[in-house]
Amino acid sequence: MAVKLLEIKKESWPPARLIGKRYTGAPNWGEWWENDWFKILEANQCLPNNGDAYIGAVHIVDGMPERWIGMFFPADTEVPEGFESIDIEALEYAVCYLCAKEGGGEFFTMETHNMCLEALRAEGFTRKEDDWCFERYNCPRYTAPDEAGNVILDYGISVI
């Protein structure tokens, strides 16, 4: 099954702090599980818009993608030792709710990204170029497959 776009919702976010680890290459989710880093972050109060979801995020810095793994928190949250942070201004996001098989790579392709961009344009959204996009791994949408083995990934794109 290809990725299916279930719906698009607009979210208005206050200023936020992304706390986690920054990657200039491919992000390493394996080290997060091996080191139980999310457990450390979960000790803080998360940003209400995000709940306790884990985040994979990207934005463009000096023409290159900067990737992050972590969680979103209120802007004044203290950064635990061993982690980095980046403050993000108040933004509007169009969040695509995507459905596909658990463990499949279909969520993480340029075709899926482009499908979302096309759907946003059709709905009248304008992407805020080079600003934040995120994958929100929400429990239970992403962690509890339905009877057909499908999960839902929230894919947010900053919009004007």
Side-chain angles (χ1 to χ4, degrees):
M1 167 185 156
V3 173
K4 180 179 177 184
L5 175 59
L6 301 176
E7 66 179 317
I8 301 171
K9 291 183 180 178
K10 185 175 182 182
E11 295 183 7
S12 297
W13 285 40
R17 178 166 286 168
L18 175 56
I19 299 175
K21 305 278 185 180
R22 176 190 341 231
Y23 299 87
T24 53
N28 186 344
W29 285 90
E31 70 181 351
W32 278 79
W33 307 127
E34 292 165 14
N35 295 302
D36 211 9
W37 286 337
F38 286 115
K39 184 176 183 178
I40 297 168
L41 294 184
E42 289 170 342
N44 293 306
Q45 180 66 40
C46 294
L47 190 67
N49 297 54
N50 185 61
D52 61 355
Y54 302 155
I55 298 297
V58 65
H59 70 145
I60 304 300
V61 177
D62 297 328
M64 299 298 296
E66 179 180 87
R67 294 173 177 84
W68 285 78
I69 297 175
M71 296 174 75
F72 286 124
F73 296 93
D76 60 350
T77 302
E78 189 173 321
V79 179
E81 186 176 331
F83 291 88
E84 301 172 85
S85 71
I86 187 166
D87 291 330
I88 302 172
E89 67 184 345
L91 286 172
E92 304 285 322
Y93 292 97
V95 180
C96 298
Y97 290 82
L98 304 172
C99 181
K101 293 288 183 202
E102 177 187 30
E106 295 121 344
F107 286 126
F108 315 110
T109 66
M110 281 308 295
E111 290 80 15
T112 297
H113 175 76
N114 291 335
M115 175 189 72
C116 290
L117 290 177
E118 186 63 33
L120 295 182
R121 280 191 288 276
E123 293 289 321
F125 290 104
T126 301
R127 178 183 182 192
K128 190 172 181 190
E129 289 296 325
D130 293 342
D131 219 323
W132 290 97
C133 294
F134 65 83
E135 300 158 353
R136 180 169 53 198
Y137 299 91
N138 178 278
C139 179
R141 285 193 300 271
Y142 190 80
T143 59
D146 66 15
E147 61 282 346
N150 295 315
V151 294
I152 298 172
L153 176 70
D154 307 357
Y155 185 62
I157 299 172
S158 55
V159 294
I160 298 173

